[in-house]
Amino acid sequence: MRWDPEAYLGYAGVRSRPYFDLIVRIDERSPRRVADLGCGPGHLTQALAQRWPSAALEAWDSSADMVREAQARGIDARLGDVRDWAPKPDTDVVICNAVLHWVPDHIDLLRKWVSALQPGAWLAVAMPRNIDEPSHTLVRELANEPRWRDLVAEVVAPATDVLDAVSYAGLYADLGCEIDAWETNYIQRLMGDDPVLEWLSGTTLRPVKTALDDETWQRFRDELAPRLRAAYPRRDDGTTLFPFRRVFAVARVR
């Protein structure tokens, strides 16, 4: 899958808050190695280097475009699938933000990582939990209409089973970890014309854009835009309020 670093960074401020809400719950002062899985364009990975300057920092992403952006920021980012990643023996902190909702078997992956980490290591994950929100259901509905079905229905993200915070807390507890899990519904105050469409263009809609030529992609956008406007109406002050739920799960291995 190709991701668009420029579109993604267009909302860097509002996208960044969940990342910092996640890492602030990691009570580790001097980790030997920190892994950022799904590092994106690297702007948030830089914060890890500032917080833990003595740690070896490794960064992974499945998008070559994102890896290039991160490398341009001086991050030693590598191209790879998180399902292929395994912690080195000195890994004390693992961060995986807004990635595992793309991985259908992520529960098994979490179990695998916990079993591979050393006692005292931290595993912190955060995932959007919006698959049933209009921002996602409207994309799926349009993609499955007859004129689009053969072109994009197969590339639209499936309804990956992202659980609630209680379920992830139970998973970590069953694995013998210390646990910290919660959910937050962020209300993003977006600006501009069709801001929800622009937000989705940086992430959810990237597979659709990749599957279409420029003219057909524009037609898809033109059909999706009024549906999103109706679901997320523009306010009198020119802003659009966009709820965005995230589930967080932090574990310390024992």
Side-chain angles (χ1 to χ4, degrees):
M1 182 185 303
R2 291 173 60 83
W3 295 81
D4 187 341
E6 184 175 351
Y8 189 91
L9 286 170
Y11 290 104
V14 290
R15 290 190 196 276
S16 299
R17 182 179 169 189
Y19 189 88
F20 290 106
D21 287 350
L22 176 66
I23 66 173
V24 75
R25 308 291 271 268
I26 301 171
D27 187 17
E28 178 61 62
R29 295 185 179 182
S30 300
R32 295 166 295 173
R33 178 176 297 274
V34 176
D36 191 9
L37 307 180
C39 64
H43 62 301
L44 297 176
T45 311
Q46 290 175 318
L48 304 180
Q50 294 169 358
R51 178 176 177 183
W52 295 302
S54 64
L57 181 61
E58 59 179 286
W60 278 49
D61 203 278
S62 61
S63 163
D65 294 333
M66 290 291 196
V67 167
R68 282 191 290 270
E69 285 284 315
Q71 290 173 341
R73 287 181 164 82
I75 303 297
D76 183 21
R78 307 294 176 87
L79 183 66
D81 189 313
V82 294
R83 289 170 291 191
D84 298 327
W85 179 84
K88 294 181 173 60
D90 63 345
T91 301
D92 290 325
V93 174
V94 180
I95 297 160
C96 193
N97 176 61
V99 174
L100 294 182
H101 61 296
W102 296 105
V103 181
D105 57 349
H106 71 269
I107 299 298
D108 291 337
L109 191 58
L110 288 171
R111 291 193 181 101
K112 176 183 173 182
W113 287 346
V114 168
S115 67
L117 289 166
Q118 298 296 316
W122 295 81
L123 172 58
V125 302
M127 290 166 280
R129 195 166 183 248
N130 301 312
I131 203 71
D132 293 325
E133 294 298 322
S135 55
H136 289 65
T137 59
L138 291 173
V139 172
R140 294 199 300 273
E141 289 172 5
L142 179 58
N144 280 283
E145 290 181 1
R147 61 190 174 282
W148 294 110
R149 187 180 300 132
D150 292 341
L151 295 173
V152 297
E154 290 187 0
V155 302
V156 171
T160 301
D161 189 16
V162 174
L163 307 179
D164 59 21
V166 173
S167 297
Y168 289 106
L171 169 68
Y172 283 159
D174 289 343
L175 295 172
C177 299
E178 298 176 16
I179 60 173
D180 186 6
W182 70 100
E183 294 187 34
T184 301
N185 195 16
Y186 297 92
I187 309 301
Q188 315 288 16
R189 189 167 181 259
L190 305 181
M191 306 289 292
D193 298 329
D194 294 317
V196 176
L197 177 61
E198 296 304 324
W199 175 287
L200 296 175
S201 293
T203 53
T204 303
L205 289 175
R206 288 304 303 168
V208 177
K209 183 177 181 180
T210 299
L212 303 174
D213 59 42
D214 291 346
E215 181 180 351
T216 312
W217 161 240
Q218 189 57 52
R219 290 207 314 271
F220 188 90
R221 282 175 53 98
D222 290 345
E223 291 191 34
L224 181 60
R227 305 182 191 202
L228 291 173
R229 285 188 218 118
Y232 302 98
R234 193 172 185 178
R235 292 164 45 84
D236 292 341
D237 63 1
T239 65
T240 299
L241 299 182
F242 179 45
F244 199 80
R245 181 173 295 279
R246 298 258 184 167
V247 57
F248 301 82
V250 177
R252 191 176 189 206
V253 179
R254 291 195 292 196

